[in-house]
Amino acid sequence: MTLTRIQRAAQVAGKSLAGRDTPFIFNEWYVAALSREVSREPLARTILGKTLVFYRKQDGGPVALSNRCAHRSFPLDKGTLVGDHLVCGYHGMRYNELGEVIEVPSQASCGGISIRHYPLVEMGPVIWIWMGQPEQADPATIPEMPMLEDGWVTSEDYMDLKANYVYLHENLLDLTHLSFLHANTFGTPDYARADFDVQISDTRMWLKRYVMPTRLPPVWAKPTRLEGKDAARITTSDFVSPALHIVHAEFYDLALAESERPDQRIKTAHIPTPSTATETHYFVVHGRNFALEEGDVTDFMHQQLMAAFQEDVVGLQQQEILMAAEMDDNYFEISVKSDAASVAMRRYIKRRANEEQGLITTDAPASSTAPTAPAAPATVGNIPVPV
Amino acid sequence: MTLTRIQRAAQVAGKSLAGRDTPFIFNEWYVAALSREVSREPLARTILGKTLVFYRKQDGGPVALSNRCAHRSFPLDKGTLVGDHLVCGYHGMRYNELGEVIEVPSQASCGGISIRHYPLVEMGPVIWIWMGQPEQADPATIPEMPMLEDGWVTSEDYMDLKANYVYLHENLLDLTHLSFLHANTFGTPDYARADFDVQISDTRMWLKRYVMPTRLPPVWAKPTRLEGKDAARITTSDFVSPALHIVHAEFYDLALAESERPDQRIKTAHIPTPSTATETHYFVVHGRNFALEEGDVTDFMHQQLMAAFQEDVVGLQQQEILMAAEMDDNYFEISVKSDAASVAMRRYIKRRANEEQGLITTDAPASSTAPTAPAAPATVGNIPVPV
Amino acid sequence: MTLTRIQRAAQVAGKSLAGRDTPFIFNEWYVAALSREVSREPLARTILGKTLVFYRKQDGGPVALSNRCAHRSFPLDKGTLVGDHLVCGYHGMRYNELGEVIEVPSQASCGGISIRHYPLVEMGPVIWIWMGQPEQADPATIPEMPMLEDGWVTSEDYMDLKANYVYLHENLLDLTHLSFLHANTFGTPDYARADFDVQISDTRMWLKRYVMPTRLPPVWAKPTRLEGKDAARITTSDFVSPALHIVHAEFYDLALAESERPDQRIKTAHIPTPSTATETHYFVVHGRNFALEEGDVTDFMHQQLMAAFQEDVVGLQQQEILMAAEMDDNYFEISVKSDAASVAMRRYIKRRANEEQGLITTDAPASSTAPTAPAAPATVGNIPVPV
């Protein structure tokens, strides 16, 4: 079938954007699990397409190994944890926490059999993992989660998202969708039309939206005591890394002078860890810097937010199903102005993936964080499209 | 494994027959839905491999659009119908009935974004759609359904058939199977052995079968009051287009002179609309020209017929499963005399599909209806096979 | 990701081993069904990737035909058995027990239409089938099952194993796994560390294990009356053919002189018939040469053994799932000493499959049974690996 001129331009531009078929980026820290998920009971989880097994040593330290026994591919999570060692449930190969076989029951020696182990760093409610080249694993490069600092109270959760992780990042970088996908939870009709700023560096993308005056939905109005008031709702979508997106929000009563406003902020870490090309571990760590002692506020907000994020899960899964069916030679996506940050993000992820695959070389390292002028998206007609 | 000489000849001959792997024919009118299925509630349906959304405007007119939002591939049937416009449930793009975006909430202009819309023509209980090249959409080429004329009473229904549409056409063009697949419903043992005529033109294939004297099964005997009588049952299988097959049947008491026989005819439109290569929307419109005022006859025949057609659905699905498992280099199908019409039909569909794919050129247009001498099938041994 | 030197050597060595992607071997006798499964009710079963139909003639003789009607690929098992003939449920083609069509209802002659029939040989509780080149079907080459001789009592069963058959053979040729996979049924902790001998010919592989002194698990201790005694448990894993593995076991009281020991032996035929690359018909025929009159012993042992073999099914299916997910360019399996027999078996199956595919030629016929010196596995470090 024939595409229009705009559709064809969008199709060409789309080739530089990450999507369902983009290889994973390995040289990044990802969240592997919530701390509370890893215990003395071995846990199997697929991350970046690799099946891993997680457990805790007797001293509580977490361990991640390939879940595939080097001998005959039996899943190690079906084995037995003995002290700090995992014993395969098929022929009894015994692995230490470095993935080295230290016992082969049917013979005297072990001869250097091993599987891969993965560096882990536990930070508050989450456990980070390094899936990339071992010599590059530097805990100093784990991205910061500001809601874990003193003076904040947090809650966390996990969802299984049957869609590619890139589209969760895209979802978060343009909250226009709050007025539609979340019309029944924390969206309001004025959200989609509010002004916004975009900032783009080589590796980080922000979109800041100013909704004011507005009436806050219950999830924000109740804990901030701004019910029925003309309020400001200022939200920053912040792509921190392929493994982390943080939404920063502040709220205040427009009737109050700036000096009189209480400091009421929300920070929510959205943490998409790819499982496979079409499945993502979606972790959430949510924090606030007010009403710190009120446990019922924590419960109320947690429950309200997870209901809203579940709407994203449902929507992204519907999108995934449609893409799987329709992604043929005539496929295209047309971008608009509010996509500027997410288009930059998808180009960045694609470039990083290509670099790891050795498909392109660049003079500037992809991990450079030197800010540059925001890329002005090209336009077809008056619609911005990526170039 | 070695094939016999006949098997090998059949395998070669089979290469010219349409089947599970034949591309769809786009330049045809297909039935998209029963009229009663399309309402103010958006309906998603896949036709010829494309996912579409259907709805009715405020004036009742039906609309068909691509179901994929041009922006970020969200399924439009999950959105909201506002007046005559469909608003995407993700970022709020608003589409008119031509598939043009007329509002982008996050910016002032729309800049020519659009998706494809599909011409529809509503005729009685069904809605026809044109999936092909837009400039060729001519409602005058919609095939006629004679049971929709005055003096007939009709009923209609829909079944989901998990098999390729070609094999439903094949099923209908050779009713030999009534004695076996429908032994418990409207088949009789003498059906398979009855005399038949075949007529084949470039684009239309008939098989007419004369079962007489016979005893009619209840579905025909009761409404025609021919129970217990020696009757004639004359049935014509008529391939009208890749989208329509009509079965014409007449019944009469053999004890009556021709002038005394009441005019008792049945016409059933079998309407296979391809969804995917292995799934078909199977619509049925059934009509009779007698007992017009008797609603209980309508209900009786409808229920009896649908039970029989459900046997075809089950059988075709069993055939589909077996073909999926067995269609390897040794696959073959051996045709017999009663397949002459269906072999011609499968060659015609294959030729039409190839022409659309640009694989062959012909001097005579494929849509020509000029009748030709029926192709005499070649034979291997005394078995006719397509050549 | 980088492999270690040992992993890389194992990966190279693995290329000569049969596995999930190895073509089936056709020129072998396989067990198609338990005798009691084949009746006057047609039975569909997929063997070596081909769908077959089984039934019994009026004289009780079993018949196996291709399940695909030569006419239009309808599954013949959905048809009707009339006398010794199978009538297709679609258009009524009638097949005799040789797969020849002897009636086409819509025409007078049949013209040599046929499907393949498969030689069957019924021996006691099982029916053997020849799927290979018909002229090579020699019943004299059906492997012997010694537990079917006089003086033994047997029971038999069937399990559906959703894994490739090669790994069931591998499982059986190294019973090290009894201490782990069967820790709760018939394994004991000392099993994995017991001494063993290996014998390897061109076509047959044995691993004999001497567990003594040991305490027998209930399944063996009860019928042999060796509960609470220091016993010998001597087990031979015997790969007889790609279609048959026999486990021979003997038990005795170590306190008795050799001449005083009663002859108490167990022989269990494990019969893996490939259905597809990832599914196997797993038949078991179990026999003993003692307590011949005690039916409750038969029931007790049968129930205990099937519970244990079900652990193998579960484990092999877990292995299959992991292999399906992880079998990429970095896949490897590292073999140890107790794998010597199973590595030889996998090389033999691979070689046989390759020969049938015409990929290699050998001077020595693959079916030669001339014993050769056991192949000494090469080692990487001190780990034996196949070369």
Side-chain angles (χ1 to χ4, degrees):
Chain A
M1 301 301 129
T2 320
L3 297 181
T4 67
R5 191 175 53 86
I6 289 172
Q7 289 168 348
R8 192 165 305 282
Q11 191 178 57
V12 171
K15 296 195 190 309
S16 65
L17 303 186
R20 302 166 76 240
D21 53 356
T22 303
F24 298 129
I25 298 171
F26 282 83
N27 285 324
E28 278 290 348
W29 288 96
Y30 290 91
V31 169
L34 298 179
S35 290
R36 67 175 186 237
E37 292 180 297
V38 177
S39 70
R40 295 285 293 168
E41 187 74 31
L43 168 74
R45 177 161 287 171
T46 299
I47 296 182
L48 306 190
K50 310 288 178 193
T51 310
L52 311 183
V53 57
F54 295 86
Y55 66 90
R56 285 192 191 274
K57 290 184 291 182
Q58 289 166 299
D59 68 5
V63 175
L65 303 176
S66 166
N67 197 31
R68 190 173 74 74
C69 180
H71 173 230
R72 284 297 181 266
S73 299
F74 200 73
L76 293 174
D77 71 293
K78 308 298 183 194
T80 307
L81 185 57
V82 179
D84 288 353
H85 303 148
L86 203 47
V87 178
C88 180
Y90 197 177
H91 301 94
M93 310 278 146
R94 179 183 287 242
Y95 292 87
N96 69 12
E97 69 264 39
L98 299 176
E100 298 161 347
V101 171
I102 57 172
E103 186 180 355
V104 177
S106 59
Q107 66 190 36
S109 60
C110 300
I113 308 176
S114 65
I115 53 175
R116 193 161 169 201
H117 83 285
Y118 296 87
L120 298 179
V121 177
E122 189 157 14
M123 298 183 88
V126 297
I127 299 174
W128 293 88
I129 193 167
W130 181 263
M131 300 287 294
Q133 288 161 281
E135 63 279 13
Q136 296 192 25
D138 178 3
T141 63
I142 294 174
E144 285 178 21
M145 289 174 55
M147 74 291 293
L148 298 181
E149 293 168 9
D150 286 348
W152 291 72
V153 60
T154 62
S155 67
E156 69 278 349
D157 217 326
Y158 169 84
M159 288 173 286
D160 175 24
L161 167 63
K162 295 198 188 306
N164 184 280
Y165 82 113
V166 169
Y167 303 95
L168 177 53
H169 277 300
E170 180 177 77
N171 168 290
L172 293 160
L173 262 179
D174 176 16
L175 300 186
T176 300
H177 75 271
L178 263 69
S179 300
F180 303 96
L181 194 59
H182 303 298
N184 299 317
T185 51
F186 65 4
T188 51
D190 51 359
Y191 207 102
R193 288 174 177 77
D195 285 340
F196 60 86
D197 294 336
V198 170
Q199 279 187 280
I200 297 170
S201 81
D202 263 11
T203 64
R204 199 150 176 176
M205 297 84 198
W206 299 260
L207 190 149
K208 188 168 185 178
R209 208 174 261 266
Y210 307 86
V211 194
M212 62 173 79
T214 191
R215 294 296 170 103
L216 299 179
V219 62
W220 304 135
K222 272 187 71 170
T224 58
R225 304 182 201 278
L226 290 169
E227 287 160 310
K229 296 192 177 161
D230 283 340
R233 176 182 186 179
I234 301 170
T235 313
T236 304
S237 296
D238 179 4
F239 173 85
V240 179
S241 88
L244 180 62
H245 180 105
I246 297 179
V247 176
H248 312 258
E250 55 183 312
F251 309 97
Y252 54 83
D253 183 346
L254 285 168
L256 295 182
E258 188 166 353
S259 59
E260 295 175 307
R261 298 171 190 156
D263 177 19
Q264 293 185 324
R265 282 175 294 147
I266 297 286
K267 291 184 187 293
T268 308
H270 297 265
I271 306 168
T273 302
S275 173
T276 68
T278 55
E279 190 160 4
T280 299
H281 307 291
Y282 182 2
F283 304 97
V284 171
V285 178
H286 172 69
R288 70 181 185 279
N289 73 340
F290 59 93
L292 299 183
E293 308 302 321
E294 298 171 42
D296 56 340
V297 168
T298 306
D299 292 345
F300 171 74
M301 291 176 68
H302 187 88
Q303 176 257 320
Q304 293 268 309
L305 286 176
M306 294 311 292
F309 301 157
Q310 191 58 38
E311 292 172 329
D312 293 301
V313 166
V314 170
L316 290 165
Q317 291 179 169
Q318 290 168 338
Q319 181 193 37
E320 162 61 32
I321 291 167
L322 196 63
M323 286 192 300
E326 299 276 320
M327 205 169 261
D328 60 14
D329 289 348
N330 286 316
Y331 188 81
F332 62 86
E333 298 172 67
I334 298 179
S335 300
V336 295
K337 279 181 193 148
S338 59
D339 294 317
S342 85
V343 162
M345 174 276 294
R346 287 175 65 183
R347 293 173 70 189
Y348 166 64
I349 287 181
K350 178 88 162 200
R351 195 170 65 239
R352 285 283 307 278
N354 280 348
E355 283 168 6
E356 283 199 3
Q357 303 289 318
L359 300 183
I360 60 169
T361 52
T362 55
D363 289 338
S367 58
S368 155
T369 53
T372 63
T379 61
V380 172
N382 58 355
I383 304 299
V385 297
V387 286
Chain B
M1 301 302 130
T2 320
L3 298 181
T4 67
R5 191 176 55 87
I6 290 173
Q7 289 168 348
R8 193 164 304 282
Q11 191 179 56
V12 172
K15 294 196 192 306
S16 64
L17 302 186
R20 302 166 77 239
D21 53 356
T22 303
F24 298 130
I25 298 171
F26 282 83
N27 285 324
E28 277 290 348
W29 288 96
Y30 290 91
V31 169
L34 298 179
S35 289
R36 66 175 187 239
E37 292 181 296
V38 177
S39 70
R40 295 284 294 167
E41 189 72 32
L43 167 74
R45 177 162 285 171
T46 298
I47 297 182
L48 306 191
K50 310 289 178 191
T51 310
L52 311 184
V53 57
F54 295 86
Y55 66 89
R56 286 193 191 273
K57 291 184 291 180
Q58 288 167 300
D59 68 5
V63 175
L65 303 177
S66 166
N67 197 32
R68 189 174 74 73
C69 180
H71 174 229
R72 283 300 178 265
S73 298
F74 200 73
L76 292 175
D77 72 293
K78 308 298 184 192
T80 306
L81 185 58
V82 179
D84 288 352
H85 304 148
L86 204 45
V87 178
C88 179
Y90 198 178
H91 300 94
M93 311 276 145
R94 180 184 288 242
Y95 292 87
N96 69 14
E97 69 263 41
L98 299 175
E100 298 161 345
V101 172
I102 56 171
E103 187 181 353
V104 178
S106 58
Q107 65 189 37
S109 61
C110 300
I113 309 176
S114 65
I115 53 176
R116 191 160 171 202
H117 82 285
Y118 296 86
L120 298 179
V121 176
E122 190 157 12
M123 295 182 90
V126 297
I127 299 173
W128 292 88
I129 191 168
W130 180 263
M131 300 288 294
Q133 289 161 282
E135 64 279 11
Q136 296 191 24
D138 177 4
T141 63
I142 295 175
E144 284 177 22
M145 289 173 56
M147 74 290 295
L148 299 181
E149 292 168 9
D150 285 348
W152 290 72
V153 61
T154 62
S155 68
E156 70 278 348
D157 217 325
Y158 168 85
M159 288 173 284
D160 175 24
L161 167 64
K162 296 199 189 304
N164 184 280
Y165 82 112
V166 169
Y167 303 95
L168 177 52
H169 277 300
E170 181 176 76
N171 168 289
L172 292 160
L173 263 178
D174 176 16
L175 299 186
T176 300
H177 74 272
L178 262 70
S179 300
F180 303 95
L181 194 59
H182 303 299
N184 298 316
T185 51
F186 64 5
T188 51
D190 50 0
Y191 207 101
R193 287 175 177 77
D195 284 340
F196 58 87
D197 293 336
V198 170
Q199 279 187 281
I200 296 170
S201 80
D202 264 13
T203 65
R204 202 151 174 174
M205 297 84 198
W206 298 260
L207 191 148
K208 189 167 183 177
R209 206 174 263 268
Y210 307 85
V211 194
M212 62 175 78
T214 190
R215 295 296 169 103
L216 298 179
V219 61
W220 305 135
K222 271 188 72 171
T224 58
R225 304 182 199 280
L226 291 169
E227 288 159 309
K229 296 191 176 161
D230 282 341
R233 176 182 187 179
I234 302 171
T235 311
T236 305
S237 296
D238 179 4
F239 173 85
V240 179
S241 88
L244 179 63
H245 180 104
I246 297 179
V247 176
H248 312 259
E250 54 183 311
F251 310 97
Y252 54 82
D253 183 344
L254 285 168
L256 296 182
E258 189 166 353
S259 59
E260 297 175 308
R261 298 172 192 157
D263 177 18
Q264 293 185 325
R265 282 176 294 145
I266 297 287
K267 291 184 186 293
T268 307
H270 296 265
I271 306 169
T273 302
S275 174
T276 67
T278 56
E279 189 160 3
T280 298
H281 307 291
Y282 182 2
F283 303 97
V284 171
V285 178
H286 172 69
R288 70 180 185 278
N289 73 341
F290 59 94
L292 299 183
E293 307 302 322
E294 298 171 41
D296 56 339
V297 167
T298 306
D299 292 346
F300 170 74
M301 290 176 67
H302 186 88
Q303 176 258 320
Q304 293 268 309
L305 285 176
M306 293 311 292
F309 301 156
Q310 190 59 38
E311 293 172 329
D312 293 301
V313 167
V314 169
L316 289 165
Q317 291 178 168
Q318 290 168 338
Q319 181 193 37
E320 161 62 32
I321 290 167
L322 196 65
M323 286 193 299
E326 298 278 319
M327 206 168 262
D328 60 14
D329 289 349
N330 287 318
Y331 188 80
F332 61 86
E333 298 171 70
I334 298 179
S335 299
V336 295
K337 279 180 193 147
S338 58
D339 294 317
S342 85
V343 161
M345 174 275 296
R346 287 175 65 183
R347 294 172 71 188
Y348 167 64
I349 288 183
K350 178 87 162 201
R351 194 169 67 238
R352 284 283 307 278
N354 281 349
E355 282 168 5
E356 284 199 2
Q357 304 288 319
L359 299 184
I360 59 168
T361 51
T362 54
D363 290 336
S367 57
S368 156
T369 53
T372 63
T379 60
V380 173
N382 57 353
I383 303 299
V385 298
V387 286
Chain C
M1 301 302 131
T2 321
L3 297 181
T4 67
R5 190 176 55 87
I6 290 172
Q7 290 168 348
R8 192 164 305 281
Q11 192 177 56
V12 172
K15 295 194 192 308
S16 64
L17 302 185
R20 302 167 75 241
D21 53 356
T22 303
F24 299 129
I25 298 170
F26 282 82
N27 284 325
E28 277 291 347
W29 288 97
Y30 291 91
V31 169
L34 298 179
S35 289
R36 65 176 187 237
E37 293 180 297
V38 177
S39 70
R40 294 284 295 168
E41 187 73 31
L43 167 74
R45 176 161 286 171
T46 298
I47 295 181
L48 307 191
K50 310 288 178 193
T51 310
L52 311 184
V53 57
F54 295 86
Y55 66 89
R56 284 193 191 274
K57 291 184 291 180
Q58 288 167 301
D59 68 5
V63 175
L65 303 177
S66 166
N67 197 31
R68 189 173 75 73
C69 179
H71 173 229
R72 285 299 180 264
S73 298
F74 200 72
L76 293 175
D77 72 292
K78 309 298 183 193
T80 307
L81 185 58
V82 179
D84 288 353
H85 304 148
L86 204 45
V87 178
C88 179
Y90 198 176
H91 300 94
M93 309 279 144
R94 179 183 287 243
Y95 293 86
N96 69 13
E97 69 265 39
L98 298 175
E100 299 160 346
V101 171
I102 56 170
E103 186 181 355
V104 177
S106 58
Q107 66 189 35
S109 61
C110 301
I113 307 177
S114 66
I115 54 176
R116 191 160 171 201
H117 82 284
Y118 295 87
L120 298 179
V121 177
E122 190 158 12
M123 296 184 88
V126 298
I127 299 173
W128 293 88
I129 191 168
W130 180 263
M131 301 287 295
Q133 288 161 281
E135 64 278 12
Q136 297 192 24
D138 177 4
T141 63
I142 294 175
E144 284 178 22
M145 290 173 55
M147 73 289 295
L148 299 181
E149 292 168 9
D150 286 348
W152 291 72
V153 62
T154 61
S155 66
E156 69 279 347
D157 218 325
Y158 169 84
M159 289 173 285
D160 175 24
L161 167 63
K162 296 197 187 310
N164 184 281
Y165 81 112
V166 169
Y167 303 95
L168 176 54
H169 277 299
E170 180 177 77
N171 168 288
L172 293 159
L173 263 179
D174 176 15
L175 300 186
T176 300
H177 75 271
L178 263 68
S179 300
F180 303 95
L181 194 60
H182 303 299
N184 298 317
T185 50
F186 64 6
T188 51
D190 51 359
Y191 207 101
R193 287 175 178 76
D195 285 340
F196 59 87
D197 293 335
V198 170
Q199 278 187 280
I200 297 170
S201 81
D202 264 10
T203 64
R204 201 150 175 176
M205 297 85 197
W206 298 260
L207 190 148
K208 187 167 185 177
R209 208 174 263 266
Y210 308 85
V211 195
M212 61 175 79
T214 190
R215 294 295 169 104
L216 298 179
V219 61
W220 305 136
K222 272 188 70 171
T224 57
R225 305 183 199 279
L226 290 169
E227 289 160 309
K229 297 195 175 156
D230 282 340
R233 176 183 187 180
I234 301 171
T235 313
T236 305
S237 297
D238 179 4
F239 172 86
V240 179
S241 87
L244 178 63
H245 180 104
I246 296 179
V247 176
H248 312 256
E250 54 182 311
F251 310 96
Y252 54 83
D253 184 345
L254 286 168
L256 296 181
E258 189 166 353
S259 60
E260 297 175 307
R261 298 172 192 156
D263 177 18
Q264 294 185 324
R265 283 175 293 145
I266 298 287
K267 292 184 187 289
T268 308
H270 297 263
I271 306 168
T273 302
S275 173
T276 68
T278 56
E279 190 159 3
T280 298
H281 306 291
Y282 182 1
F283 304 96
V284 171
V285 178
H286 172 70
R288 69 179 185 279
N289 73 341
F290 59 95
L292 298 182
E293 308 301 322
E294 298 170 41
D296 56 338
V297 168
T298 305
D299 292 346
F300 170 75
M301 290 177 68
H302 187 88
Q303 175 257 322
Q304 294 268 308
L305 284 176
M306 293 311 292
F309 301 157
Q310 190 59 38
E311 294 172 330
D312 292 302
V313 167
V314 169
L316 288 166
Q317 291 179 168
Q318 291 167 339
Q319 182 192 37
E320 162 61 31
I321 290 167
L322 197 65
M323 286 192 300
E326 299 276 320
M327 206 168 263
D328 60 14
D329 288 348
N330 286 317
Y331 188 80
F332 62 86
E333 297 171 70
I334 298 178
S335 298
V336 297
K337 278 179 195 150
S338 59
D339 294 316
S342 85
V343 161
M345 174 275 295
R346 287 176 64 183
R347 293 172 71 189
Y348 166 64
I349 287 182
K350 177 89 163 202
R351 195 170 66 238
R352 286 283 308 276
N354 280 348
E355 283 168 4
E356 283 200 2
Q357 303 289 317
L359 299 184
I360 59 170
T361 52
T362 55
D363 289 338
S367 57
S368 156
T369 52
T372 62
T379 60
V380 174
N382 57 355
I383 303 300
V385 298
V387 286

